[in-house]
Amino acid sequence: MSTRSIDRRSAEMSLAYVLTAFFFFGIGALAGLLQGLVRGGVITLPEWINYYQILTAHGVLMGLVFTTFFIVGFFYAGMAKTITLPKLSVKLGWLGWVVMFFGTVMAVATISTGEASVMYTFYAPLKASPWFYIGSTLLVIGSWIAGAGMTYAYTQWRKQNTNQRSPLFTFMVMATLVLWYVATLGVAAEMLFQLIPWSFGWTDTVNVVLSRMLFWFFGHPLVYFWLMPAYAAWYNCVPKIIGGKIFSDSLARVVFILFILLSIPVGFHHQLTEAGISEKWKIVHVALTLGVVLPSMMTAFSSFATFEAVGRAKGARGVFGFFKKLPYGDVRFFAPFMGMLFFIPAGIGGIINTSNQMNVVVHNTIWVTGHFHITVGAAVALTFFGIAYWLIPSLMGRQLTKGAHRAGIIQTLFWTVGMLIMSGAMHFMGLLGVPRRTDYTTYMDDPLGLSWMKYETLMAIGGVLLFISAVLMICNAIYLWKFAPVGETEFPMAENSLEVRQQTPRILENWKVWIAILAFLILVSYGYPIYDAIVHAPPGAPGMKTW
Ligand code: HEM
Ligand SMILES: [Cu+2]
């Protein structure tokens, strides 16, 4: 008999998001493979495809579409598990899916017809078809609708459970949503007031400085929007999988609050080499960025504390003996664990990127691309894969079989090795000065350009392994969705008893306080620069089509 872990309506809606995520992930992976092969000099694209076109498709589909669909699906499922979803939430979930899907199709269509090779950052003055901007905006609006469904479920729960701290997972969903709503205001303003009117020809020029500021107001918290769901799995699901407990309820909540506060007023760390923003403001953003190290360290600390506690309970000895006791044969643990390991060099790389002087060395080199493939492309992606292995069968009422575990471990290994090779090559090339976002070139057979080719080839080899892994992942997902034997798969969610939760300070769930502090920090860090960019606007730029 089939037994779903949550009610059927919620399960079907969440699954729609997760499966759509993997559908677009597949197309994105193909684009990634082609990029690697082109840059490595292995293949040449046919006349009718432009390198920057597939680069745009890859960045948009992986960075914006795969992640957002997966996150919404996972969050809805986790909320259904911890507090259950009212009917209205499920309806809003479906509506959000439709709007997001429609927006994505619009954006992908304009990329396919070559009207939007502006890459996933759509930096002005590169100018795409208005329908690309409208499609991307719909993707965001769809996520707002989905977020409204979750917020409704949360407020209903709180009404029925006055004076109770919410379950940790639900709290984390709400914290991520607070961040997402505030962050997306920046990109929505850029789209609605700048890019869309300009691309329709209603305005002749665009204020480039302002548009990039607004983009990164959104762009940095975007990376925390990817990371916080992965952390939610590290805090709630991984401990349950390995038979442990949540290390500390309040610590986990403080971490998420810190992410809300510190991930928005830091966008200038992406613009350190950019004219039009004074050094003083850049330093404010850099200082706040370094503050974000703290919650990540706290997460690492509590994750490994949980591992240690579990290992010792199983009889581990010595300082690091507990590593031997962890269930590496369980893909639900193995995949996110590999992701955690990737996050160690990734975090160090992030500190390098944000340090003013070192940023000059790596800025706009392919080092940066190496960096975000080990953060979002590995730490986050591997965690999402690990979640998918139990989430899909558990929502379908099917079994995560031994064979699927094994296939999952192999898939994880391919991804891990592929990413080590590809990102390793990218990091190394970046230090040599190799630019990111470039089609195949030997720079007119310049000896320096030629000397880079061997690393480009290495990068392509890593890309091939990653692509094999992506195909395996999709096959596994389809198997678990449609073909695995009917049965039951646990929805691993470590939950603290109400007693423990009630010891957590009440203020941590007082959103008004945190939103007010966030507004203050935003005012301090962005208020004057944005005012300045508007009042002392640079000469506007006409649109450019460089492809
Ligand atoms: C099959 C696996 C993958 C391969 C082979 C791959 C390969 C690549 C390559 C070679 C580039 C650099 C192109 C250039 O700068 O000229 C790139 C860029 C990028 N990748 Fe991936 N990648 C993969 C997976 C992912 C994943 C899982 C994500 C995120 C979830 C991701 C996000 C990005 C983004 C955002 C860019 C930047 C695009 C731009 O600069 O506009 N990739 N990828
Ligand atoms: Cu950033």
Side-chain angles (χ1 to χ4, degrees), residues 329-332 388-390 393 399-412 472-473 475-477 479-481 484-485 489:
D330 184 336
V331 67
R332 301 171 306 160
Y389 280 111
W390 54 259
Q399 289 170 25
L400 172 56
T401 53
K402 276 222 177 82
H405 267 293
R406 223 168 297 137
I409 302 264
I410 294 171
Q411 182 264 325
T412 305
L472 260 174
M473 180 66 231
C475 293
N476 287 341
Y479 170 76
L480 293 168
W481 170 41
T489 294

Side-chain angles (χ1 to χ4, degrees), residues 42-64:
V42 183
I43 60 164
T44 323
L45 291 175
E47 280 289 298
W48 47 273
I49 310 182
N50 177 304
Y51 181 79
Y52 300 96
Q53 198 177 355
I54 51 170
L55 185 59
T56 307
H58 178 74
V60 169
L61 288 176
M62 289 300 204
L64 306 176

Side-chain angles (χ1 to χ4, degrees), residues 216 219-221 223-224 263 266-267 269-270 289:
W216 287 113
H220 185 76
V223 316
Y224 284 94
S263 63
V266 297
H269 68 218
H270 292 268
T289 307

Side-chain angles (χ1 to χ4, degrees), residues 272 352 354-362:
L272 289 175
I352 292 172
T354 199
S355 307
N356 207 13
Q357 291 82 342
M358 285 190 275
N359 181 273
V360 176
V361 178
V362 298

Side-chain angles (χ1 to χ4, degrees), residues 53-114:
Q53 198 177 355
I54 51 170
L55 185 59
T56 307
H58 178 74
V60 169
L61 288 176
M62 289 300 204
L64 306 176
V65 176
F66 162 61
T67 47
T68 309
F69 272 96
F70 189 89
I71 290 164
V72 173
F74 173 49
F75 273 0
Y76 261 128
M79 278 189 116
K81 171 81 183 159
T82 47
I83 63 169
T84 71
L85 295 178
K87 272 199 188 130
L88 179 63
S89 297
V90 178
K91 282 199 185 127
L92 286 169
W94 277 114
L95 182 63
W97 182 88
V98 170
V99 176
M100 278 171 65
F101 188 80
F102 187 65
T104 303
V105 170
M106 249 165 112
V108 171
T110 54
I111 297 169
S112 315
T113 53

